Amino acid sequence: MTQGPFEIGGLSIPPNSRQTVDLPVSVLSDHTPVNMSVHVIHGREPGPTVFVSAAIHGDEVMGVEVVRRLLRVPNLEALKGTLLAVPIVNSYGFLNHSRYLPDRRDLNRSFPGDAVGSLAARLAHKFLTEIVMRSDVGIDLHSAAIHRTNLPQVRVSPRKPEIFTLAEVFGAPIVMMSGLREGSLRQAAHQHDVDMLLFEAGEGLRFDEVAVRTGVVGILRVMRHLGMVKAKGIAKPKVAPMRSSSSFWLRAPVGGLLRTLKTIGAQVEGGDVLGLVSDPFGDFETEVMADEPGLLVGRTNLPVVNEGDGLFHVARIRPHDDPAATIDRLAGQLEEDPLFDEDEII
């Protein structure tokens, strides 16, 4: 059965076609128009509508590369349903290498927005009404802020435990419970009954090959699970991801120069020293020590730290989880995946 056309931005996208649609957002002070561009792939046969978005924070460019590669995958040629791919939601921040909008607002704290509100409110409203509310499922791509890095992870809301199925299908090393924040996209999607995954990986303003591959494959696995694409070349994860219901930050006890002893993906035991903070003269050295076990899912990349800075992000995991085996097997599977035949990022 052939589905009807997909209406968006005043355009009608016929079935079995794809088109990039420019959704007007604003006009800059020099009269330059600003659009939010969405690439619509509308399949011949009916199925779910899924949105994939990146660069809600303009400096989180890793997701942009994930979307670019996703749109080149041959599996999408026989898509069932509709894919809405928005590689750059916050074009203002993207052009300026900035997390924020020109009005210094965080777009991911501005939902549901307002059609006649601030610049951030208008962009949030446009994205919510044109993209999110037309979808059944959403996958939002993020990275750590600049000078920090994250282990690939999927974050889901504890309010909708059924989303755990999609999160496990995605196949990132760890699934983390993360509450809904006021003004966030996840909260707005939840209020409109749109299931949503948030993928975190890598560092702001940087590409990371493992993060990109994990993102592309994870999205395709979710689409396969939803019956949107054929299974050929899209392998299910060989091991189940670890789960975490909570996490904590280890902060700098003093200011100085940080030397890190462990990196993301490392298993942490209570009493482990993760780093050392020294003064520039070498007169003192203070240990940064974990007081409970977990998995290191994020860390700073800056060697210069002030007292109170967040240095290491540790997720509490289940006792039977095996971090080393899980990460190694999932990483090995990425290297074997036949989808990736283009040059890697160096």
Side-chain angles (χ1 to χ4, degrees), residues 160-182:
K160 297 198 71 174
E162 63 271 20
I163 300 179
F164 263 118
T165 300
L166 293 180
E168 291 195 329
V169 165
F170 193 101
I174 186 168
V175 177
M176 300 182 64
M177 281 280 208
S178 178
L180 299 176
R181 292 191 175 185
E182 187 70 28

Side-chain angles (χ1 to χ4, degrees), residues 72-295:
R72 294 160 53 94
V73 172
N75 302 61
L76 300 183
E77 295 173 3
L79 181 76
K80 294 181 180 180
T82 307
L83 174 65
L84 306 178
V86 187
I88 304 169
V89 179
N90 177 5
S91 58
Y92 304 93
F94 182 80
L95 292 173
N96 291 302
H97 302 170
S98 171
R99 178 182 181 89
Y100 303 106
L101 289 156
D103 57 6
R104 296 299 300 167
R105 285 181 168 89
D106 183 335
L107 182 57
N108 208 26
R109 298 294 180 270
S110 301
F111 287 92
D114 187 336
V116 293
S118 67
L119 177 61
R122 293 174 188 229
L123 180 54
H125 179 267
K126 176 75 69 172
F127 185 71
L128 180 65
T129 55
E130 292 280 7
I131 305 299
V132 179
M133 293 173 61
R134 298 173 184 268
S135 304
D136 302 298
V137 175
I139 302 174
D140 191 29
L141 308 173
H142 287 259
S143 67
I146 57 172
H147 308 313
R148 287 182 177 176
T149 189
N150 280 335
L151 180 75
Q153 58 196 256
V154 171
R155 298 183 182 180
V156 295
S157 167
R159 299 186 187 181
K160 297 198 71 174
E162 63 271 20
I163 300 179
F164 263 118
T165 300
L166 293 180
E168 291 195 329
V169 165
F170 193 101
I174 186 168
V175 177
M176 300 182 64
M177 281 280 208
S178 178
L180 299 176
R181 292 191 175 185
E182 187 70 28
S184 69
L185 171 59
R186 284 200 300 143
Q187 183 192 55
H190 174 78
Q191 291 173 344
H192 290 278
D193 201 29
V194 177
D195 292 339
M196 204 182 112
L197 304 178
L198 189 149
F199 177 62
E200 283 268 4
E203 178 186 358
L205 296 179
R206 297 288 185 273
F207 281 170
D208 177 281
E209 185 65 22
V210 171
V212 171
R213 289 190 173 208
T214 303
V216 176
V217 173
I219 294 167
L220 290 171
R221 285 171 176 159
V222 170
M223 294 178 70
R224 169 187 168 170
H225 177 79
L226 296 173
M228 299 178 69
V229 295
K230 294 180 179 179
K232 183 180 180 181
I234 307 173
K236 295 180 180 179
K238 290 183 177 179
V239 293
M242 294 169 281
R243 284 194 181 189
S244 174
S245 59
S246 61
S247 63
F248 59 93
W249 277 92
L250 296 176
R251 299 188 175 275
V254 294
L257 304 177
L258 172 68
R259 306 197 310 280
T260 57
L261 305 180
K262 290 185 180 291
T263 190
I264 55 172
Q267 188 170 4
V268 174
E269 300 295 340
D272 282 357
V273 177
L274 308 189
L276 302 167
V277 180
S278 307
D279 74 299
F281 305 102
D283 291 336
F284 73 83
E285 188 170 82
T286 305
E287 296 177 339
V288 182
M289 183 182 298
D291 53 7
E292 58 180 298
L295 177 71

